[in-house]
Amino acid sequence: CGDNEMERDDVRQFRKSWIRQGRNAKATLKLLPRNAALSKERALLNGWKRYNGDAKAALGSLPEEERQFWISTYQSYIWNHAATRRIEMYGSQSAVAGDLVLIDSSSCDVPRRH
């Protein structure tokens, strides 16, 4: 995992310790600071430990709102990387095959559904 300059230092240290500890939840939990800022991470690690590394079960130990938050965050991450790659490859000045394009329907003779 590369460093993200926008990532908080405590989060970066936590992530690195997780990798350094060989994804050992028990060992990583001992290194995790007890502050509210990392409560989601603590809950996931506890779930990871409780369910012996079963990621799906660990996520299931979070409240529904938390799971939806993480899913939405990951979807945004994927979208941003795909959009960045598309712009790097083709630029942003015109549409290319495969782009979704919104056409101003007021300037077209497009039948409207009522």
Side-chain angles (χ1 to χ4, degrees), residues 48-68:
W48 185 273
K49 186 173 76 172
R50 184 178 317 121
Y51 297 110
N52 298 316
D54 182 338
K56 186 176 179 181
L59 283 170
S61 67
L62 292 174
E64 177 68 23
E65 314 82 56
E66 289 293 327
R67 289 194 305 269
Q68 290 304 316

Side-chain angles (χ1 to χ4, degrees), residues 5 18 46 60 71 73:
E5 62 189 43
W18 168 249
N46 279 318
I71 291 167
T73 301

Side-chain angles (χ1 to χ4, degrees), residues 36-51:
L38 297 174
S39 61
K40 293 175 187 139
E41 290 82 355
R42 181 173 294 286
L44 280 172
L45 277 177
N46 279 318
W48 185 273
K49 186 173 76 172
R50 184 178 317 121
Y51 297 110

Side-chain angles (χ1 to χ4, degrees), residues 7-9 20 22 30 32 36 39 42-43 46-47 49-50 56 74-75 77-78 80 86 90 92 94-95 99 108 114:
E7 185 176 54
R8 288 190 349 239
D9 189 52
R20 231 183 2 261
K30 289 179 183 177
L32 188 62
S39 61
R42 181 173 294 286
N46 279 318
K49 186 173 76 172
R50 184 178 317 121
K56 186 176 179 181
Y74 193 63
Q75 288 171 332
Y77 171 81
I78 292 169
N80 288 333
R86 185 263 180 237
Y90 303 110
S92 61
S94 60
D99 284 352
C108 301
H114 296 285

